[in-house]
Amino acid sequence: MSTRKQVVEILNQVADLLEIKGVDYKPRAYRRAAREIDSLTEDLTDIYEEGRLEDIPSVGKNTAEKIAEILETEKLEYYEELKKEIPIDPELLKVRNLGPKKVKKIWDELDLTSLAELEEALKSGKIREIKGFGPKSEENILKGLKIVKESQGKSHLSEVLPEARRIKEGLVDSSLFDKVSFAGSLRRRKYEVGDVDILATAGDRDKAMDHYTTLDGVEEVLSKGETKSSVRIKTGLRVDLRIVDSASFGSALQYFTGSQEHNVRLRQLAISKGYKLNEYGLYAEEAEEKVAGAIEEEMYQKLDLSWIPPELREDRGEIQAAGEGELPGLIEGDDVMGDLHCHSARSSDSHIPLDVLVREARKRNYSYLAVTDHAEISGIVGGLTDDRVAEHVDQIESANSAVEELDLLAGAEVNIQPDGTLDLGDGSLKELDVVIAGVHSHFDRSRAEMTERTVRAMENPNVDIIAHPTGRKIGERGSFDLDWGKIFARAEETGTALEINASPARTDLEDKLIKRAKEEEVKLTIGTDSHRVNHLDYMELGLNLARRGWCEKANVLNTLPLSDLRAWLAG
Ligand code: DGT
Ligand code: CA
Ligand code: CA
């Protein structure tokens, strides 16, 4: 059986190819269907088996048949035919500023179908010679190409975690393993993961490895041995399993968790203290006596360090801090009291009715949730205007009086214009509990202009939070060039929080900037930017980012109880 993700990907690629062909209307229909399927909270296979595919919004008879074909055969004949007709690498379509129409143009003109060919054509100046392209679009395409190349071979944590957890469960449930743990970048909760590393101990290794390589979802066995096997699962993700002796489980876990830079630094420290450190254990040099290995904590302890949470193992000062007893007490899931960035179905880009937001917040035991609908920026119909703010506040208040143990905050996400003004008036902003301001248009300004624009928004006393401060969209658009020294200083002085936007498409701020913000005593918030009901789960991703940025509970505002949060918002 195929996964939902494969279905979504194939439908989107069909849309791209149809668009390249110049077909009208159909591409949009395929994309709409893909979007709906992507945001399903129910299992797609269940829906299919119960004959309810056509109940999915935007899925008609024709699309339902195609989905069924993908689920049954893991292929789509129609797509295969299109690919023969248009032999273009789908990666090419991921390049920003290079939509299907432009891809068709360069394919027609230069017979160019891959990223490598595109790069060559850019370098030799062939692209700029095509009618309608020019030096400016050459520069933009180069930027887009760089972003796509960087993310190649890496998957976002949000896609990896559920798959990896399923594999891990399959191992644990078999009872063939004693200990099973994630290692590598996944255990460090990096937002991009190359491959999944799992470490285990097992009594009968042959049996254990047989079980692993035949797990449900394994597509291909890349290598199989007694101590290490690698498989590729259906989503294309590679998973490595290593089975080690239990006397070395702690040292192997330490070693294979990485990062490599952290390990190098730790080994230097071990040597300076007269030890030898490797994946099998920590040894006192002369006697070759093993002093630690079974338990990871002891590896650090014997080196006079407190145990370092995996999220911090990036060689950013964590070893020194652990030696001085200065490691942060990282924020935990239970510390989060609410979500400060959610969109209700008021505006056309969100699909979560207010009562569903309430239900989901209660499910998570939140004590508050901010409904931060968009102001009416271009392309988003039904958003807030100065005329509609009073009605918005009333709606939130009446929804509020109907629930106990949860407080809804009336908010808005406003756009920061190129001159730093906002798209709702100050009179409106004053009526709201929470105002989030973010840049959503006019990205191509200079560093000075982008910085000044953000600073001006922070200087508005009604603005509480700057949303997704770097503006990047993963695989699509890089970060704005900003003067971070200035941003952090003004954020601290004006008492404006910077957002950790948990949405996988944004992942913004990122760990390094979060750590700097914390050092500059800037307050942070974690928001999911939910537009679909399943997006509320992104809180875990935001929490991972905060932890990788060394955040303690006190650095993040949505750990405050409601009364303290309200006091901060008002102040
Ligand atoms: P990834 O998979 O690219 O997202 O990143 P990692 O960190 O998971 O890297 P991976 O899977 O190649 O290896 C897992 C860990 O094993 C890595 O974080 C550190 C350790 N390791 C692997 N190869 C080496 C090596 O050559 N030297 C050192 N010191 N450590 C290594
Ligand atoms: Ca890895
Ligand atoms: Ca690996």
Side-chain angles (χ1 to χ4, degrees):
M1 271 283 178
S2 229
T3 66
R4 176 174 72 180
K5 222 176 105 44
Q6 281 173 299
V7 172
V8 170
E9 205 163 300
I10 292 179
L11 294 181
N12 276 324
Q13 282 170 11
V14 165
D16 286 341
L17 293 179
L18 287 173
E19 211 168 323
I20 291 175
K21 267 183 82 167
V23 176
D24 287 334
Y25 173 72
K26 269 186 171 178
R28 272 186 59 200
Y30 277 105
R31 284 210 177 92
R32 266 206 304 270
R35 222 174 16 243
E36 291 296 341
I37 291 163
D38 199 27
S39 61
L40 286 173
T41 47
E42 238 185 303
D43 197 53
L44 182 62
T45 318
D46 289 348
I47 297 178
Y48 166 58
E49 279 166 0
E50 288 160 25
R52 293 187 286 116
L53 282 178
E54 283 182 59
D55 294 350
I56 302 171
S58 304
V59 173
K61 184 164 177 288
N62 175 40
T63 318
E65 278 169 7
K66 294 202 164 53
I67 297 167
E69 184 184 332
I70 302 170
L71 288 173
E72 283 294 340
T73 66
E74 300 188 0
K75 271 174 50 176
L76 181 65
E77 204 43 51
Y78 180 57
Y79 174 50
E80 299 301 320
E81 294 295 320
L82 279 170
K83 277 201 291 193
K84 270 184 220 148
E85 207 177 320
I86 306 161
I88 285 177
D89 180 354
E91 291 288 307
L92 211 50
L93 286 145
K94 291 187 189 157
V95 177
R96 171 97 174 151
N97 302 312
L98 202 64
K101 288 204 178 66
K102 284 195 171 162
V103 167
K104 177 170 168 37
K105 184 107 192 179
I106 56 177
W107 178 44
D108 286 345
E109 299 271 335
L110 303 174
D111 198 23
L112 182 165
T113 58
S114 71
L115 285 177
E117 287 168 355
L118 173 66
E119 190 165 16
E120 208 182 292
L122 283 163
K123 280 187 182 148
S124 61
K126 279 190 194 143
I127 296 289
R128 67 162 82 188
E129 284 162 14
I130 301 175
K131 197 165 170 281
F133 278 71
K136 184 76 197 163
S137 58
E138 180 185 87
E139 191 189 316
N140 286 334
I141 295 168
L142 257 174
K143 263 191 218 160
L145 177 69
K146 188 165 165 270
I147 293 169
V148 172
K149 273 180 67 184
E150 275 168 6
S151 62
Q152 262 190 336
K154 299 267 181 194
S155 310
H156 196 282
L157 178 66
S158 60
E159 287 161 12
V160 174
L161 256 182
E163 302 292 336
R165 281 178 173 148
R166 224 194 352 258
I167 299 273
K168 191 178 161 195
E169 245 169 65
L171 300 183
V172 171
D173 290 350
S174 73
S175 307
L176 290 165
F177 297 86
D178 302 316
K179 290 191 191 117
V180 183
S181 172
F182 290 137
S185 53
L186 180 64
R187 183 164 180 240
R188 304 197 310 278
R189 293 294 191 271
K190 241 182 119 170
Y191 84 83
E192 340 178 77
V193 172
D195 65 11
V196 171
D197 300 281
I198 303 179
L199 202 72
T201 60
D204 186 337
R205 291 190 184 189
D206 286 340
K207 240 177 152 178
M209 282 300 188
D210 283 345
H211 178 73
Y212 173 61
T213 52
T214 54
L215 273 177
D216 202 27
V218 167
E219 175 94 337
E220 189 188 350
V221 178
L222 302 169
S223 68
K224 191 176 171 201
E226 200 189 311
T227 54
K228 183 182 170 195
S229 299
S230 298
V231 302
R232 193 174 297 289
I233 62 170
K234 284 192 177 142
T235 59
L237 189 67
R238 179 183 146 140
V239 185
D240 293 345
L241 171 69
R242 293 181 180 84
I243 301 182
V244 299
D245 290 338
S246 57
S248 293
F249 184 75
S251 47
L253 186 58
Q254 194 290 310
Y255 180 85
F256 290 111
T257 296
S259 66
Q260 198 161 322
E261 294 78 6
H262 172 89
N263 287 353
V264 167
R265 182 83 53 186
L266 195 70
R267 189 171 313 122
Q268 285 168 354
L269 179 74
I271 291 167
S272 76
K273 288 181 184 280
Y275 290 107
K276 195 177 98 184
L277 173 69
N278 61 32
E279 60 187 284
Y280 304 105
L282 182 69
Y283 302 85
E285 213 174 18
E286 300 297 334
E288 293 218 336
E289 175 206 0
K290 186 162 170 172
V291 295
I295 296 164
E296 191 186 53
E297 278 84 347
E298 288 180 2
M299 302 289 293
Y300 288 97
Q301 245 170 40
K302 291 281 190 240
L303 295 170
D304 303 312
L305 303 173
S306 33
W307 178 79
I308 302 175
E311 293 95 326
L312 302 185
R313 301 185 194 172
E314 298 291 347
D315 190 25
R316 294 181 186 157
E318 69 279 7
I319 292 180
Q320 189 182 349
E324 294 165 356
E326 300 286 344
L327 281 178
L330 296 182
I331 180 173
E332 310 259 356
D334 288 346
D335 295 331
V336 174
M337 303 290 279
D339 195 333
L340 292 180
H341 193 163
C342 295
H343 295 269
S344 80
R346 147 183 306 283
S347 57
S348 61
D349 70 328
S350 167
H351 288 218
I352 326 175
L354 198 52
D355 60 324
V356 173
L357 273 177
V358 169
R359 183 190 77 202
E360 293 297 313
R362 298 212 51 186
K363 214 157 85 182
R364 290 166 175 77
N365 277 321
Y366 285 161
S367 69
Y368 45 82
L369 180 136
V371 185
T372 52
D373 289 332
H374 283 289
E376 196 167 63
I377 55 173
S378 58
I380 298 175
V381 182
L384 292 168
T385 58
D386 285 317
D387 293 341
R388 293 191 196 130
V389 166
E391 178 204 316
H392 175 57
V393 173
D394 282 349
Q395 269 181 8
I396 300 290
E397 270 175 14
S398 69
N400 227 352
S401 55
V403 281
E404 281 173 35
E405 293 157 359
L406 173 74
D407 277 274
L408 291 176
L409 301 172
E413 179 181 13
V414 296
N415 188 31
I416 306 175
Q417 320 279 11
D419 66 356
T421 59
L422 307 171
D423 55 359
L424 284 180
D426 284 333
S428 304
L429 299 181
K430 271 202 189 73
E431 300 303 308
L432 297 161
D433 300 316
V434 185
V435 175
I436 307 181
V439 171
H440 297 85
S441 64
H442 305 90
F443 307 118
D444 55 350
R445 304 297 158 108
S446 70
R447 173 188 173 99
E449 283 170 296
M450 293 306 279
T451 303
E452 185 53 27
R453 177 180 184 183
T454 308
V455 165
R456 277 207 62 190
M458 294 194 287
E459 285 168 349
N460 183 323
N462 298 308
V463 170
D464 303 302
I465 301 164
I466 299 295
H468 38 75
T470 81
R472 73 168 181 177
K473 283 268 190 91
I474 300 216
E476 193 179 299
R477 176 170 88 214
S479 302
F480 306 144
D481 191 6
L482 292 167
D483 179 344
W484 286 102
K486 210 177 231 173
I487 300 274
F488 290 140
R490 287 307 281 154
E492 198 274 328
E493 284 156 15
T494 58
T496 313
L498 299 184
E499 179 182 63
I500 298 171
N501 190 293
S503 168
R506 295 210 181 254
T507 313
D508 175 12
L509 295 174
E510 211 198 311
D511 46 20
K512 277 190 200 157
L513 283 171
I514 294 170
K515 184 164 184 271
R516 279 184 64 189
K518 178 198 162 179
E519 285 160 4
E520 303 290 330
E521 292 177 40
V522 173
K523 292 290 182 206
L524 296 152
T525 60
I526 306 176
T528 59
D529 205 349
S530 288
H531 287 77
R532 308 271 164 162
V533 63
N534 54 325
H535 295 179
L536 278 99
D537 289 337
Y538 293 160
M539 188 54 78
E540 183 189 2
L541 301 171
L543 204 71
N544 288 331
L545 282 169
R547 287 171 63 88
R548 286 181 54 84
W550 293 51
C551 279
E552 307 195 345
K553 183 178 171 182
N555 304 118
V556 177
L557 290 170
N558 43 320
T559 61
L560 292 173
L562 179 68
S563 54
D564 293 353
L565 179 74
R566 276 201 187 277
W568 182 84
L569 290 168

